[in-house]
């Protein structure tokens, strides 16, 4: 069996942590309102991607779509949908 260890630094307190259905991706959100508050981590390559250059409010929740390459970021006022394949907002 393979054992992986990954240290994720999100800056502030972590608000949510979710796995992608395929198991190689992990998304985290922190309690601050900076561009680093949302991060997507690829476990097999130990890489972290910050999908947003600007923050539009405090992130309440993040989620992966179960079958499509979409990533959802929920704030108190908005739901932002990010296309993981094209790496852009929908």
């Amino acid at each position: 069996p393979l054992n992986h260890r990954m240290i994720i630094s999100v800056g502030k307190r972590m608000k949510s942590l979710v796995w992608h259905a395929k198991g190689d991706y992990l998304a985290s959100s922190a309690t601050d309102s900076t561009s680093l508050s949302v991060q997507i981590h690829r476990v097999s390559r130990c890489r972290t991607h910050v999908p947003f250059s600007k923050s539009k409010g405090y992130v309440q929740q993040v989620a992966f779509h179960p079958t499509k390459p979409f990533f959802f970021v929920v704030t108190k006022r908005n739901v932002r949908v990010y296309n993981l394949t094209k790496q852009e907002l929908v």
Side-chain angles (χ1 to χ4, degrees), residues 7 9 85:
I7 298 172
S9 177
T85 305

Side-chain angles (χ1 to χ4, degrees), residues 4-77:
H4 294 286
R5 178 183 280 184
M6 186 173 177
I7 298 172
I8 299 170
S9 177
V10 294
K12 300 282 182 174
R13 285 185 52 191
M14 193 175 296
K15 181 125 180 142
S16 65
L17 186 68
V18 295
W19 282 100
H20 187 272
K22 292 185 180 179
D24 192 28
Y25 292 94
L26 180 68
S28 63
S29 67
T31 57
D32 61 350
S33 65
T34 67
S35 62
L36 295 175
S37 65
V38 176
Q39 298 178 357
I40 300 174
H41 315 280
R42 186 164 187 186
V43 177
S44 65
R45 295 192 180 174
C46 292
R47 303 261 185 216
T48 298
H49 176 67
V50 179
F52 306 111
S53 60
K54 295 180 183 177
S55 176
K56 296 196 177 186
Y58 289 96
V59 175
Q60 301 296 307
Q61 184 70 34
V62 293
F64 290 103
H65 189 280
T67 58
K68 296 182 180 174
F70 295 137
F71 179 67
F72 302 94
V73 177
V74 180
T75 66
K76 288 186 176 184
R77 296 182 179 199

